[in-house]
């Protein structure tokens, strides 16, 4: 079974003729690698604010917005995505629906991701397919990175939430870090959360999604995707993380187990004021999805 997203286009905020930046202008304003910019060349100035626009008109909108609220309950900010529709030209049919977010980068900070963190810490892995969260945490702790204790907690909290939301796109290019002038390192607001809650590459919720979480960055086994497994019916990556960092993982699992997420899910009912919505069956799937994850969370707590 698949579920599509309903969209009430006329209820979505309309922005007319936004100012699109050229690649050269973006390179001056944003710390981004040229090859990465070629994939993410949707930068605009809206109301004098440098912003990034993700054109979407399917359940990927829902993935980003659900993650934004759930992660926010754990003090893990995401990009401040707002649902809008762009009129990109003089013709009425040149309209795109999507998510607009102010640039997450702050002035006077340096920005890195997992794939280029070796520029600061040469012992970090440089090859795709070789990254693990465990190695990342070990490097940060060994180097006594300023603020590393807080940073380790941020990474672990994010990783457990990624598991809970079944996030499949937290790859080495979109787990971002910001470094202050005094060398303090912290996580940037999270981006690219749309591949979650069973949402497939076609932008539909697919109830036949793989129940075994195969993260883009595994915890300790770099080849986990080639040899996926569980641990007594529980997620292998989270159990392994819990064994190494119980003080950080246990509070997150406990809160996830006890939290009531119905209020967040119910925002996407089809009402007179809905901008985007799911059918009642789709909402029921999301509730069961969350309930199943909470059941597994509780099971992990009692291993």
């Amino acid at each position: 079974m698949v579920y599509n997203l309903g969209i009430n286009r006329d209820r979505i905020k309309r922005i007319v003729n936004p100012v699109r930046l050229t690649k050269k202008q973006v390179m001056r304003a944003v710390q981004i690698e040229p090859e990465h910019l070629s994939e993410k060349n949707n930068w605009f100035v809206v109301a004098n604010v440098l912003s990034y626009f993700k054109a979407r008109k399917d359940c990927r909108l829902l993935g980003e917005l659900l993650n934004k609220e759930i992660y926010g309950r754990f003090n893990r900010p995401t990009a401040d995505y707002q649902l809008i529709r762009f009129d990109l030209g003089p013709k009425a049919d040149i309209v795109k629906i999507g998510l607009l977010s102010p640039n997450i980068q702050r002035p006077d900070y340096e920005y890195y991701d997992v794939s280029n963190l070796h520029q600061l810490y040469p012992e970090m892995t440089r090859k795709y397919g070789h990254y693990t969260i465990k190695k990342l945490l070990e490097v940060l702790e060994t180097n006594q990175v300023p603020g590393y204790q807080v940073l380790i907690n941020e990474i672990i909290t994010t990783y457990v939430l990624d598991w809970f939301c079944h996030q499949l796109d937290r790859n080495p290019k979109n787990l971002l870090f910001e470094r202050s002038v005094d060398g303090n390192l912290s996580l940037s607001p999270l981006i690219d959360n749309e591949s979650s809650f069973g949402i497939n590459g076609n932008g539909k919720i697919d109830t036949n999604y793989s129940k075994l979480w195969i993260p883009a960055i595994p915890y300790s086994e770099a080849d986990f995707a080639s040899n996926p497994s569980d641990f007594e019916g529980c997620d292998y990556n989270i159990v392994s993380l819990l064994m190494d960092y119980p003080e950080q993982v246990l509070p997150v699992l406990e809160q996830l187990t006890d939290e009531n997420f119905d209020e967040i899910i119910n925002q996407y009912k089809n009402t007179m004021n809905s901008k985007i919505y799911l059918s009642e069956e789709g909402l029921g799937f999301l509730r069961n999805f969350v309930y199943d994850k909470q059941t597994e969370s509780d099971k992990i707590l009692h291993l």
Side-chain angles (χ1 to χ4, degrees):
M1 176 71 72
V2 296
Y3 298 108
N4 293 305
L5 189 71
I7 298 176
N8 289 318
R9 172 175 145 169
D10 293 340
R11 296 174 189 162
I12 297 173
K13 182 179 179 180
R14 177 171 172 257
I15 296 175
V16 180
N17 293 325
V19 179
R20 184 167 196 154
L21 274 65
T22 65
K23 287 187 177 181
K24 187 176 293 186
Q25 289 172 322
V26 176
M27 291 297 296
R28 287 199 296 263
V30 181
Q31 295 180 48
I32 185 171
E33 297 173 358
E35 60 271 21
H36 202 200
L37 177 58
S38 65
E39 301 173 6
K40 299 184 179 294
N41 187 26
N42 287 302
W43 294 86
F44 295 83
V45 173
V46 178
N48 294 318
V49 176
L50 175 62
S51 302
Y52 184 75
F53 177 64
K54 298 179 71 166
R56 298 287 186 268
K57 54 180 181 180
D58 51 44
C59 288
R60 291 175 294 177
L61 294 170
L62 187 68
E64 292 285 9
L65 296 174
L66 281 173
N67 276 275
K68 175 183 174 181
E69 293 210 50
I70 291 174
Y71 287 55
R73 291 195 178 188
F74 292 79
N75 298 314
R76 290 301 316 125
T78 69
D80 188 19
Y81 292 119
Q82 301 297 323
L83 184 62
I84 59 100
R85 56 189 174 109
F86 263 175
D87 282 4
L88 296 172
K91 296 181 181 180
D93 60 341
I94 307 180
V95 176
K96 290 186 178 292
I97 292 171
L99 297 167
L100 185 72
S101 169
N103 179 24
I104 64 169
Q105 294 185 359
R106 297 191 286 175
D108 301 323
Y109 279 73
E110 294 177 347
Y111 285 84
Y112 300 87
D113 56 47
V114 173
S115 74
N116 62 19
L117 205 58
H118 61 82
Q119 295 173 12
L120 295 177
Y121 312 109
E123 63 270 43
M124 275 293 296
T125 306
R126 302 186 182 204
K127 292 184 178 180
Y128 265 79
H130 291 75
Y131 299 103
T132 66
I133 293 296
K134 185 171 185 175
K135 177 64 174 179
L136 170 62
L137 297 176
E138 288 174 348
V139 168
L140 296 173
E141 191 165 2
T142 300
N143 283 275
Q144 297 286 290
V145 175
Y148 80 92
Q149 292 175 320
V150 173
L151 177 57
I152 284 175
N153 193 62
E154 291 176 342
I155 293 170
I156 290 173
T157 299
T158 298
Y159 200 70
V160 177
L161 292 174
D162 281 350
W163 159 74
F164 186 80
C165 297
H166 216 74
Q167 169 64 250
L168 301 179
D169 196 26
R170 188 79 62 220
N171 64 59
K173 282 289 187 183
N174 64 26
L175 184 59
L176 308 178
F177 303 87
E178 52 186 23
R179 186 171 184 255
S180 64
V181 292
D182 59 3
N184 192 75
L185 201 67
S186 59
L187 276 190
S188 297
L190 303 169
I191 61 171
D192 290 344
N193 304 297
E194 59 192 33
S195 298
S196 51
F197 297 99
I199 299 170
N200 63 26
N202 295 321
K204 299 178 181 180
I205 291 177
D206 187 349
T207 62
N208 291 321
Y209 72 98
S210 172
K211 305 303 186 289
L212 183 63
W213 184 51
I214 304 179
I217 310 177
Y219 174 63
S220 60
E221 306 293 335
D223 64 346
F224 182 78
S226 301
N227 301 285
S229 61
D230 60 22
F231 181 84
E232 296 187 8
C234 295
D235 187 88
Y236 177 86
N237 288 281
I238 299 303
V239 172
S240 300
L241 178 64
L242 173 61
M243 292 173 67
D244 289 342
Y245 294 92
E247 292 184 5
Q248 290 84 2
V249 175
L250 284 172
V252 184
L253 288 177
E254 289 169 353
Q255 184 176 344
L256 282 170
T257 302
D258 294 338
E259 195 84 23
N260 187 340
F261 295 103
D262 283 356
E263 182 181 355
I264 293 175
I265 293 171
N266 288 340
Q267 293 179 95
Y268 299 100
K269 288 182 176 180
N270 187 8
T271 68
M272 291 183 62
N273 298 316
S274 298
K275 298 175 183 177
I276 58 175
Y277 61 89
L278 284 176
S279 65
E280 283 299 323
E281 293 81 5
L283 293 171
F285 165 79
L286 284 181
R287 295 188 193 100
N288 288 332
F289 182 105
V290 168
Y291 176 77
D292 288 344
K293 286 287 189 176
Q294 289 178 313
T295 300
E296 185 177 350
S297 178
D298 186 62
K299 184 177 179 179
I300 295 172
L301 287 170
H302 292 90
L303 286 175

